[in-house]
Structure formats: structure tokens, C-alpha cells
Amino acid sequence: MTVSVCMIVKNEERVLARCLDSLEGLYDELIIVDTGSTDKTKEIAGRYTDKVYDFEWVNDFSAARNFAFSHATMDYIYSADADEVLDADNRKLFKQLVDNILPEIEIVQMKYGNQLEFGTVYNFDEEYRPKLFKRLRNFVWIEPVHEQVRIDPIVFDSDIVITHMPESNHSGRDFSVFEKAILRDGDLSDRLWEMYARELYLAGTDEDFIKAQSSFERKAATEVSEEMHQILCLILTHAARINRDVHRFFKYAVKLVAGEGCSEICMEMGLHYEAEGDIEEAAIWYYNAVFETAPVLKATAGNVEPLRHLIEIYDHCGNDELAQAYRSELEKYN
């Protein structure tokens, strides 16, 4: 089995060589697509391959990756990013995979690790991602009767862990891409609306929420699923609290509280009442965030964040017993 490594890069001079050195000997072809670097990225890339291409940035990561994939000629394509590293143990696992992969496997997932250490916009330190793709797919018929062509790909979950080591998180860049896509296309897929909301909650500044507010309001006024409506209302509740717009805050918060609720809306209510000086009411909502609801966008909204507020409240009130109880609970998540 042969492997093409495909990458899209821009201003990655500080990390590109580190990534490519960790992949040495694991591929048969290296394709690097530059989307407008102004540093030495292309010079560094040229030391490793003569297949370095320019692609004019059009605010579309898929377009850039498709361009890179179009130049691949090997059996499988490994999609790498410049801020990734394969350590020695996982290089061995990658080599074993290449030597022993079954020909029917079309996608290999690998664990994306070390996500929390560098402030990236993820809830979990390790999660599976599709990373290795069969370049050409063979369609086959299945079922002994009422036969049909197999549509779903055959996916293998490997034990390979890719270490993610970014210099900074890319949320600011992503927010710009989201907004430009909305202006261009008028809408996003449900998956991208959820990703936009998740990135806002995990890494957005107050300014980012305020900029996004009008887009989320327009989307919330359309017919969407119950799950999507919940996500949209969460962003709008948060934006309203930042703007101290009490009318809008309760307009969207009540929609969520009247339903099943979630940890994030309980946090929003707690933060609102704490800012108003109603500590007892705030504590009730923080408690609900931890013990009565579950998060939908930000995992720490259901444990670490409300527990810290509860500890602070009961420390301030002199209730050492409750403060210690919540400290013990918090230790579970550290």
C-alpha cells in the first residue's frame, strides 16, 4: 500500500519541519499546497518535496484540501496539518498499519490527542478523526437478494495517536470564515452552525459573540430542528447577557428553560443573577448546571465552571462544609 501525504499550509515556518520530520519514511509522495504564505513556509516545504503548489485562498478549507487531494497519485491519502506530530511509538503503529491494512478499508480514523493543553477549541483531549483515505473507491454490490451498492465506507478505528501542538488556537480565523460563508451562501449547514456555536462558547471573546449575534438571530427566525434551536438560543442568550439586554436575555433563555434545559443555560442564568447580586438564586442555577442538566456545547459548563462558582459563593458566605463538598466534587474533573 502506498501513501500520499497531502497538506494545506499558510505561514507555518515555525512548525512545518517538525511535522514533516515526524512523517519521514512513512509516505511515498508529499503534496503541499500553500494558500498565501508570507514567511519561509514554501522554502521549507521545498526541502522535502518538489510537489509544492499555490492555491489562491477563497475562505474555503474544503476547496484547498480538494485541490491538494487532486494531485495525489498513491493508494491512500494521509491528510496532515503542520501543527501535528507523530512520536516514535505512533510512527511504528503507522508503519504497521500501512504494511497490514486490509484492501477493503476505505477510511482510517486516528486519535487526535493533546487538544486541551494548547488552548484549542475542543471539549476533549483525545477523539477520533478520519485521517487516512483510500484515493479510489471501488463500488460493490451487497445483499444476496434485493441487492444494492454499498454506500457507507468501511472505517477502521486505529490506535494511532496524533499529537496536536498548535502555536495558538485558530478560532479568530474560523469566525471570519463562518461569517464570510454566511454572507456568500446565505446559510451554513447544521453541522457548521453547531461548530460555529461550539467555537464561540469555547474560545469566543465578547466581541466575537456580538459580531455573530445578527447571524444567529436570522437563523433562529427560520424553521430549524429542536436541537439546532437550542444551540442558536444559547448563543443569543450569551450575547444578550454581554450586552446587558435583559429583554433579549430572557426572551431566549426562557425558551431553553421551558424545555429540557442544559448546563450552559443554567450557567447563563447563574451568571446573570450573580451579576445582579442575587447570590442565592445564582447558586441554585449553578447547582442545576452540575447535577440536573448536561452540556451541549461546552463540557466544562456542566462541571468545572459552575463548581468553581459554587465554591466561591459558599466560601464568601462562610459555609465551609458546602464549599469543601464542592471542592471534592471539582477534584474529580482535575
Side-chain angles (χ1 to χ4, degrees):
M1 190 264 278
T2 55
V3 177
S4 298
V5 171
C6 287
M7 304 178 67
I8 60 172
V9 297
K10 182 179 179 181
N11 294 336
E12 303 284 8
E13 66 176 5
R14 293 169 60 87
V15 295
L16 181 58
R18 180 186 67 187
C19 171
L20 295 177
D21 287 342
S22 79
L23 295 175
E24 184 182 3
L26 298 180
Y27 59 82
D28 304 277
E29 177 180 59
L30 174 60
I31 294 158
I32 298 180
V33 171
D34 187 272
T35 62
S37 292
T38 55
D39 62 5
K40 295 181 180 179
T41 294
K42 289 178 66 176
E43 178 185 328
I44 295 168
R47 300 173 194 163
Y48 293 83
T49 179
D50 59 356
K51 295 185 177 182
V52 180
Y53 303 93
D54 290 309
F55 181 82
E56 183 179 353
W57 179 241
V58 291
N59 291 297
D60 189 330
F61 287 97
S62 290
R65 291 198 188 277
N66 286 336
F67 180 77
F69 273 34
S70 73
H71 289 278
T73 62
M74 300 298 155
D75 299 327
Y76 282 78
I77 300 173
Y78 178 66
S79 181
D81 287 328
D83 57 7
E84 298 172 358
V85 174
L86 274 179
D87 63 23
D89 290 340
N90 287 288
R91 281 175 49 81
K92 292 177 183 177
L93 291 175
F94 193 103
K95 187 66 167 63
Q96 290 172 9
L97 173 71
V98 170
D99 291 341
N100 296 285
I101 192 168
L102 298 175
E104 61 266 29
I105 292 174
E106 293 164 323
I107 297 175
V108 177
Q109 295 206 119
M110 301 177 186
K111 295 174 183 177
Y112 215 55
N114 206 45
Q115 298 187 135
L116 299 181
E117 181 175 345
F118 289 88
T120 50
V121 289
Y122 303 99
N123 276 313
F124 306 101
D125 199 48
E126 190 173 278
E127 64 180 356
Y128 270 120
R129 288 190 182 185
K131 295 293 290 182
L132 187 69
F133 307 86
K134 196 166 190 178
R135 186 173 66 86
L136 299 177
R137 187 177 185 192
N138 297 316
F139 288 99
V140 296
W141 291 90
I142 57 174
E143 310 294 1
V145 66
H146 299 298
E147 65 280 5
Q148 62 180 3
V149 170
R150 178 174 53 78
I151 297 174
D152 295 333
I154 296 179
V155 180
F156 172 67
D157 292 341
S158 74
D159 293 327
I160 298 168
V161 179
I162 300 165
T163 303
H164 190 204
M165 300 177 66
E167 298 254 294
S168 62
N169 77 58
H170 305 301
S171 57
R173 174 202 67 189
D174 290 352
F175 296 149
S176 175
V177 174
F178 286 131
E179 286 298 328
K180 287 176 180 177
I182 294 169
L183 286 173
R184 183 187 66 225
D185 304 327
D187 201 358
L188 299 173
S189 67
D190 282 1
R191 173 181 171 273
L192 281 187
W193 277 112
E194 181 178 348
M195 290 298 296
Y196 192 0
R198 190 180 302 280
E199 289 198 31
L200 280 169
Y201 244 99
L202 290 170
T205 63
D206 287 356
E207 184 180 355
D208 292 325
F209 273 90
I210 291 168
K211 285 181 178 179
Q213 183 176 4
S214 59
S215 295
F216 277 79
E217 279 192 322
R218 286 194 299 271
K219 182 63 176 178
T222 66
E223 187 174 342
V224 296
S225 68
E226 184 177 343
E227 292 80 6
M228 181 55 57
H229 189 253
Q230 181 184 48
I231 289 169
L232 297 169
C233 286
L234 274 175
I235 298 301
L236 293 170
T237 301
H238 188 96
R241 184 173 59 79
I242 291 169
N243 280 326
R244 298 183 180 179
D245 187 336
V246 176
H247 171 74
R248 271 193 170 87
F249 177 83
F250 282 105
K251 174 183 176 179
Y252 294 110
V254 167
K255 296 179 190 298
L256 298 176
V257 174
E260 291 185 4
C262 59
S263 297
E264 290 90 343
I265 197 59
C266 292
M267 274 297 300
E268 295 291 348
M269 296 292 286
L271 290 167
H272 168 76
Y273 282 112
E274 188 169 1
E276 293 292 311
D278 192 341
I279 302 302
E280 290 184 3
E281 186 68 18
I284 292 171
W285 287 104
Y286 292 141
Y287 179 92
N288 286 333
V290 181
F291 300 106
E292 302 297 336
T293 54
V296 297
L297 291 176
K298 188 178 184 181
T300 54
N303 44 61
V304 173
E305 293 180 21
L307 284 169
R308 285 175 176 166
H309 280 273
L310 286 168
I311 292 166
E312 185 178 340
I313 285 172
Y314 289 110
D315 273 340
H316 181 74
C317 293
N319 191 329
D320 296 337
E321 184 178 351
L322 273 179
Q324 184 55 45
Y326 290 128
R327 280 195 183 88
S328 298
E329 187 69 22
L330 181 61
E331 287 176 3
K332 298 178 182 178
Y333 303 98
N334 288 337

